[in-house]
């Protein structure tokens, strides 16, 4: 067995696992690891952004684009505490990150050395990080590293992927032992479980008896790389597809069967189809509050009136929010292949003919929605109407370009109107909605897809949480285009505040001076100060050209776009914060079936 330093063992394992990057920030706790990465600098690259939050968002976005994980490296104490939020983002959205954190030397455990968390237990960082990772490992000797690394990476990529933590005391980087480098973990989707033949037969019976079926797909379909199978199945039977944000693009959203997103910020045809469906086939989707109108019946869904076939590889999602009529523990791609094979084998040929009337209803809802929404896309104004920005991005960005979305009302507009053409091209912090994901993650997305344009859409609030991303872009020449959706405030929250509290506003807009003049830094000047080219756009006529220009430059670029804060995305479903009653007007109508049959 070779004798080697713990840090070298980790480095060799990362290299053998074909992990090309470590995103991280130095500290006294991890200098041993940095020195080892220096030795291997031709085989693995360290990228050091200006905040640990950015490092973990970068790793998260990198995985979402490539479905291959990279590592983060943070020091003991505060540096590692800074990755808690982005790891929560990754965990909520099933994204894999190998978070290597440093800790104090084992010989100093419990003595309260510099940066040890020890109130309740020695070197207690694993307890801080535990709720936001699939598992935390704390090897306290070099000979414990091989098993910890192998188990951590296997856990990270198996089943439902997610972040893991390996917490390494200072001396474990530095000490030597006789150790074997473990084999790399199997890549994502190595194991693909399927449903039983009986379950597939039951699912097909339910689909065959349906008259108004709909597919609801989520990140599980994206992670399973089941886009072609989904498309083939939807086309074969002519079943419309509703998508959660992280499922977008698995079916080309310009396909007539693609209904878009559902819920308060969904598209009207998706909510209409969801609430009128008689059979819902949900695959890798979890019916969270934002894609189910907070579970209030009749806005987005009508369970148990509608029958539910729920497919997921995580049993905790089956029945979490709606009890399924048929719950299938299966990988999305395997399930869809099984359905297709089942269709081929059946004697009572199931065809899409039975759904013709249903598709005609849907066409009608699509026409109504277009008639309502489309005229606003062509309006020129200053400040700019929100729809215009979405439309111009759609017109300028090539089909394989990556949109890395941040959080806020800007994101609501993209959820409602963006048409992703391919999987893994629209990245969203969905489950946890951590501000900074879009602005920071875009750096990781660009490293994952260096030949494709990457556009970050970030609100002015989100961007000012991580403005130092510009420094990192310059230092490492990462050609991201940031579109700053500048409405001079935390406008998504302002709108909730205004709606709930009779028009009173506090702490949700950016002002200066006694007259409360809208305030923001001059983002273009800020960008130039960092060495990044920038433009300010205040008129809608100018945005498209600015974006084209920025993409063509193929270098870091900021476009500060002044957007009208008074135009709100139309509600087509609902979102409720109990006990406040929901009273927003909804485009279309809540629809409850007359008779809700008992189960
Ligand atoms: C780290 C973090 N802090 C706070 C929030 C709560 N929050 C959600 S959206 C939002 C405002 C976003 O403002 P901005 O980026 O300007 O987007 P806008 O809604 O104005 O488009 C806030 C504060 C959050 N999701 N994440
Ligand atoms: Mg804003």
């Amino acid at each position: 067995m070779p004798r080697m330093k713990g840090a070298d063992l980790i480095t060799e394992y990362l290299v053998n696992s074909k992990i090309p990057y470590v995103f991280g920030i130095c500290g006294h706790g991890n200098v041993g690891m940095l020195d080892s990465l220096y030795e291997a600098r031709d085989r693995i690259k360290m990228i050091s952004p200006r905040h640990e939050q950015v490092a973990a968002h970068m790793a998260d976005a990198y995985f979402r684009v490539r479905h291959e994980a990279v590592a983060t490296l943070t020091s003991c104490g505060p540096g590692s505490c800074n990755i808690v939020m982005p790891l929560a983002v990754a965990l909520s959205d099933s994204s894999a990150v190998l978070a290597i954190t440093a800790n104090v030397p084992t010989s100093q455990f419990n003595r309260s050395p510099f940066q040890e968390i020890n109130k309740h237990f020695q070197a207690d960082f694993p307890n801080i990080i535990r709720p936001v990772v699939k598992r935390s490992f704390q090897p306290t000797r070099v000979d414990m590293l091989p098993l910890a690394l192998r188990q951590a990476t296997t856990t990270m990529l198996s089943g439902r992927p997610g972040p893991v933590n390996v917490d390494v005391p200072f001396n474990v980087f530095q000490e030597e032992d006789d150790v074997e480098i473990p084999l790399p973990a199997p890549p994502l989707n190595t194991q693909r479980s399927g449903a039983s033949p009986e379950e597939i037969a039951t699912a097909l019976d339910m689909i065959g008896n349906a008259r108004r079926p709909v597919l609801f797909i989520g990140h599980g379909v994206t992670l399973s790389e089941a886009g072609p199978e989904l498309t083939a199945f939807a086309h074969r039977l002519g079943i419309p597809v509703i998508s959660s944000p992280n499922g977008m693009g698995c079916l080309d959203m310009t396909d007539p069967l693609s209904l878009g997103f559902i819920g308060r910020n969904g598209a009207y045809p998706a909510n209409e189809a969801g609430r009128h469906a008689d059979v819902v086939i949900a695959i890798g989707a979890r019916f969270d509050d934002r894609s189910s109108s907070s579970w209030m019946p009749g806005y987005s869904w009508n369970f148990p009136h509608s029958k539910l076939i729920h497919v997921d590889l995580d049993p905790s999602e089956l029945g979490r929010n709606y009890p399924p009529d048929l719950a299938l523990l299966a990988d999305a791609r395997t399930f869809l292949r099984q359905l297709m094979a089942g269709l081929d084998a059946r004697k009572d040929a199931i065809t899409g003919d039975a759904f013709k009337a249903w598709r005609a209803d849907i066409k009608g809802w699509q026409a109504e929605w277009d008639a309502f929404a489309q005229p606003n896309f062509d309006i020129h104004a200053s400040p700019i109407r929100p729809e215009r920005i979405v439309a111009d991005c759609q017109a300028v960005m090539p089909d394989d370009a990556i949109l890395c979305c941040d959080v806020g009302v800007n994101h609501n507009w993209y959820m409602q109107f963006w048409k992703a053409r391919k999987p893994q091209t629209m990245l969203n912090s969905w489950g946890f909605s951590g501000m900074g994901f879009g602005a920071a993650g875009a750096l990781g997305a660009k490293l994952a897809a260096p030949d494709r344009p990457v556009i970050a859409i970030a609100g002015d609030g989100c961007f000012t949480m991580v403005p130092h991303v510009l420094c990192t872009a310059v230092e490492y020449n990462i050609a991201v285009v940031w579109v700053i959706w500048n409405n001079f405030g935390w406008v998504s929250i302002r709108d909730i505040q205004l709606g709930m509290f009779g028009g009173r506003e506090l702490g949700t807009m950016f002002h200066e001076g006694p007259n409360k003049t809208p305030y923001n830094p001059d983002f273009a000047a800020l960008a130039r100060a960092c060495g990044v080219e920038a433009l300010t756009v205040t008129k809608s006529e100018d945005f498209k050209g600015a974006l084209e220009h920025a993409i063509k430059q193929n270098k870091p670029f900021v476009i500060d776009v002044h957007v009208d804060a008074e135009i709100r995305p139309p509600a087509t479903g609902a979102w409720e914060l109990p006990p406040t009653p929901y009273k927003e007007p909804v485009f279309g109508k809540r629809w409850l079936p007359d008779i809700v049959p008992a189960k």
Side-chain angles (χ1 to χ4, degrees):
M1 270 197 261
R3 189 161 184 84
M4 59 171 92
K5 261 178 60 167
D8 292 338
L9 171 66
I10 297 172
T11 299
E12 291 309 316
Y13 184 68
L14 298 181
V15 170
N16 290 353
S17 301
K18 300 197 165 49
I19 290 180
Y21 291 110
V22 175
F23 302 147
I25 292 192
C26 60
H28 75 278
N30 64 21
V31 286
M33 188 64 215
L34 289 180
D35 193 61
S36 173
L37 288 170
Y38 176 84
E39 272 300 311
R41 63 193 180 286
D42 296 336
R43 296 180 292 144
I44 183 165
K45 191 161 179 202
M46 167 86 182
I47 296 214
S48 180
R50 301 300 181 104
H51 194 297
E52 290 84 356
Q53 178 197 349
V54 173
H57 284 322
M58 285 172 67
D60 176 351
Y62 184 99
F63 176 78
R64 293 184 198 224
V65 171
R66 287 185 79 92
H67 287 171
E68 291 162 7
V70 291
T72 61
L73 174 67
T74 49
S75 189
C76 47
S80 288
C81 285
N82 270 345
I83 63 168
V84 172
M85 188 281 262
L87 290 186
V89 167
L91 185 73
S92 309
D93 287 342
S94 312
S95 182
V97 176
L98 173 60
I100 302 170
T101 54
N103 215 318
V104 301
T106 51
S107 57
Q108 296 182 351
F109 276 20
N110 273 328
R111 303 187 72 171
S112 212
F114 188 45
Q115 299 183 336
E116 182 190 24
I117 293 284
N118 58 20
K119 185 80 178 164
H120 302 285
F121 195 71
Q122 64 197 22
D124 210 7
F125 185 71
N127 251 336
I128 292 177
I129 205 168
R130 195 165 58 171
V132 298
V133 291
K134 283 179 88 174
R135 203 166 194 297
S136 174
F137 299 79
Q138 193 183 56
T140 47
R141 292 155 42 128
V142 176
D143 67 1
M144 292 168 73
L145 273 174
L147 185 65
L149 289 168
R150 182 171 67 75
Q151 289 185 341
T153 47
T154 304
T155 302
M156 169 174 78
L157 293 172
S158 58
R160 185 177 182 175
V164 291
N165 169 230
V166 181
D167 188 63
V168 186
F170 179 87
N171 53 303
V172 177
F173 288 126
Q174 292 297 83
E175 285 162 4
E176 290 188 351
D177 207 340
D178 299 320
V179 278
E180 207 72 71
I181 303 168
L183 286 176
L188 185 74
N189 290 324
T190 302
Q191 305 97 2
R192 289 184 179 270
S193 55
S196 70
E198 294 77 18
E199 288 168 328
I200 294 296
T202 308
L204 286 173
D205 285 343
M206 289 172 73
I207 295 166
N209 290 327
R211 289 298 166 267
R212 299 185 306 279
V214 74
L215 283 149
F216 175 43
I217 61 139
H219 202 192
V221 177
T222 307
L223 288 165
S224 170
E225 299 176 357
E229 285 78 4
L230 171 78
T231 306
F233 177 70
H235 282 171
R236 174 151 177 182
L237 294 187
I239 299 180
V241 177
I242 297 168
S243 177
S244 87
N246 284 326
M248 285 186 182
C250 286
L251 173 69
D252 180 340
M253 293 178 80
T254 60
D255 190 300
L257 287 174
S258 171
L259 305 186
F261 176 57
I262 192 163
R264 191 239 168 258
N265 297 300
Y268 169 68
N271 279 306
E272 281 287 28
R275 56 198 171 217
H276 285 92
D278 60 356
V279 173
V280 177
I281 311 151
I283 311 176
R286 60 192 178 84
F287 297 103
D288 67 296
D289 58 335
R290 293 201 289 165
S291 51
S292 63
S293 292
S294 304
W295 309 290
M296 290 185 283
Y299 284 103
S300 292
W301 308 105
N302 262 317
F303 302 115
H305 181 80
S306 316
K307 297 250 173 291
L308 174 60
I309 302 171
H310 198 170
V311 185
D312 206 292
L313 48 67
D314 181 351
S316 70
E317 293 301 349
L318 297 173
R320 182 203 290 276
N321 287 314
Y322 294 117
D325 296 275
L326 181 63
L328 303 180
L329 198 60
D331 159 68
R333 194 182 82 178
T334 308
F335 169 71
L336 285 160
R337 287 184 178 181
Q338 286 179 305
L339 278 189
M340 290 293 261
L343 280 176
D344 290 339
R346 268 175 96 102
K347 294 197 177 66
D348 61 334
I350 300 173
T351 69
D353 290 350
F355 315 141
K356 262 191 187 149
W358 174 231
R359 284 191 296 270
D361 287 345
I362 285 169
K363 233 177 163 179
W365 295 324
Q366 282 169 324
E368 261 184 88
W369 181 233
D370 282 352
F372 168 78
Q374 283 309 315
N376 295 330
F377 280 81
D378 298 325
I379 295 176
H380 278 300
S382 174
I384 303 171
R385 269 196 79 99
E387 301 94 326
R388 193 70 233 182
I389 303 169
V390 181
D392 286 352
C393 285
Q394 196 85 60
V396 169
M397 285 170 58
D399 291 353
D400 68 345
I402 294 163
L403 191 70
C404 196
C405 295
D406 227 304
V407 170
V409 73
N410 58 88
H411 186 218
N412 294 344
W413 286 101
Y414 282 87
M415 285 192 297
Q416 200 157 40
F417 291 113
W418 184 251
K419 290 194 189 309
R421 309 292 306 268
K422 291 174 187 294
Q424 293 149 263
T425 57
M426 189 206 191
L427 315 187
N428 312 272
S429 173
W430 184 242
F432 208 63
S433 212
M435 290 175 66
F437 170 80
L443 292 168
K446 184 69 187 176
L447 292 170
D451 301 329
R452 292 154 59 189
V454 174
I455 285 75
I457 306 291
D460 46 335
C462 286
F463 188 80
T464 34
M465 284 208 171
V466 290
H468 40 75
V469 290
L470 300 178
C471 311
T472 307
V474 172
E475 284 176 85
Y476 297 94
N477 191 23
I478 306 174
V480 167
V481 177
W482 285 271
V483 172
I484 302 179
W485 185 289
N486 188 353
N487 52 16
F488 294 85
W490 320 107
V491 168
S492 44
I493 310 300
R494 181 208 61 170
D495 288 348
I496 296 172
Q497 190 179 45
L498 296 185
M500 273 169 78
F501 299 100
R504 286 141 67 103
E505 184 274 322
L506 177 73
T508 55
M509 290 303 279
F510 307 144
H511 302 127
E512 66 167 339
N515 297 330
K516 293 199 151 193
T517 316
Y519 166 78
N520 251 330
D522 176 342
F523 286 112
L526 182 77
R528 284 183 211 113
C530 296
V532 171
E533 266 194 59
L535 288 169
T536 306
V537 174
T538 57
K539 294 203 301 266
S540 44
E541 288 86 335
D542 298 337
F543 176 63
K544 202 170 166 187
L547 185 60
E548 268 163 357
H549 172 76
I551 292 174
K552 242 188 239 139
Q553 299 309 300
N554 200 25
K555 53 185 183 196
F557 208 102
V558 164
I559 310 177
D560 174 15
V561 191
H562 291 211
V563 189
D564 196 331
E566 304 311 323
I567 299 171
R568 292 156 179 85
T572 61
W575 188 59
E576 189 195 34
L577 288 171
T580 312
Y582 189 79
K583 50 180 198 273
E584 198 180 20
V586 175
F587 178 84
K589 273 201 308 284
R590 183 182 190 187
W591 180 79
L592 282 164
D594 298 337
I595 308 153
V596 177
K599 280 225 151 184

